[in-house]
Amino acid sequence: MTELDPDREAPPLVYLGCHLELRQIAREFCRKRFEPEDDGEAHDLFPDLQARYPTARSSKDDPEYVKLECLNRDDIAFNVNRLRSEAARKLAHADALEEYGELRAA
């Protein structure tokens, strides 16, 4: 950022976004370097599941991800609630957009 914005004219949110992206890049680099490569196969019984999920004890700012098979009951409950909450927000957004479209067409 010192090279891209030496006068620090960008809003603080731009710096935060850059910082978060850098952390994601670092995580990916470390995962590839220190963990054996996954064979790319999906879970046998549940192929739609991700390979990693955040733990219940994770902070929002810096979540700790673990492999699916390392999740405990609290972690699973945390992720189920997180995913259902996210889905509810998306459904509410879809409903609002649909209503907007209907009112606009009238």
Side-chain angles (χ1 to χ4, degrees), residues 37-96:
E37 191 68 30
D38 290 333
D39 54 7
E41 291 184 23
H43 191 278
D44 294 337
L45 296 175
F46 303 97
D48 293 334
L49 295 178
Q50 299 172 192
R52 296 171 184 278
Y53 286 90
T55 63
R57 61 192 171 279
S58 293
S59 72
K60 279 188 170 185
D61 295 333
D62 194 19
E64 174 191 358
Y65 284 78
V66 296
K67 290 185 177 183
L68 176 64
E69 46 282 347
C70 296
L71 293 174
N72 61 35
R73 284 184 177 194
D74 290 341
D75 296 335
I76 291 171
F78 168 77
N79 281 286
V80 166
N81 290 334
R82 181 182 62 83
L83 291 166
R84 287 193 173 141
S85 174
E86 190 176 303
R89 285 192 305 272
K90 287 189 177 197
L91 282 172
H93 188 147
D95 291 343

